[in-house]
Amino acid sequence: MTDELMPCPKCNHEVQGVVTGGQAAYGCGEYNYQIECACGIMFDTTRSYETPEEAEAEGIREWNTRYKRTCRIIMLDGSPSCSECKAEMGAYNDRFCGWCGAEVISE
């Protein structure tokens, strides 16, 4: 497993990752890893970790293993949404989910 972040699945550009949380941010000992791309894709670890190093390692692993994920548009509470992350999809013609980066495929 590489410790380098794979490029953005939406635009193929380099992404930036940062450890968040901890005593300074929330007054607790939990850390997350967030990844952002200039095109608007944002990603956060699925759970919190006890150390910044663990959060970074798991965040990179999660990002790199979901890199080729696909989704379908589903209706949630009357709104078109991503079948993977459940985020609301702004337009039916989006090729990628703007939140998790999964490629939207037709049924």
Side-chain angles (χ1 to χ4, degrees):
M1 172 58 98
T2 179
D3 60 351
E4 292 183 19
L5 290 166
M6 295 178 97
C8 177
K10 182 176 180 180
C11 68
N12 205 36
H13 287 103
E14 184 177 316
V15 296
Q16 300 296 317
V18 64
V19 174
T20 62
Q23 291 294 330
Y26 306 114
C28 66
E30 295 183 348
Y31 297 89
N32 290 356
Y33 193 70
Q34 294 180 336
I35 297 167
E36 287 189 44
C37 181
C39 74
I41 292 289
M42 296 172 62
F43 177 82
D44 199 352
T45 50
T46 56
R47 68 179 197 84
S48 297
Y49 298 93
E50 292 183 16
T51 67
E53 296 80 13
E54 184 182 21
E56 181 176 17
E58 287 301 307
I60 291 170
R61 183 193 63 76
E62 285 185 31
W63 172 263
N64 288 346
T65 56
R66 51 131 321 261
Y67 179 72
K68 288 291 185 182
R69 229 175 33 178
T70 59
C71 69
R72 289 177 169 42
I73 294 176
I74 59 172
M75 295 302 283
L76 291 176
D77 298 323
S79 298
S81 303
C82 173
S83 63
E84 289 296 306
C85 72
K86 310 302 186 241
E88 189 172 325
M89 303 285 282
Y92 283 99
N93 62 352
D94 287 345
R95 185 167 169 221
F96 294 90
C97 173
W99 183 254
C100 73
E103 183 176 9
V104 178
I105 58 172
S106 62
E107 297 186 41

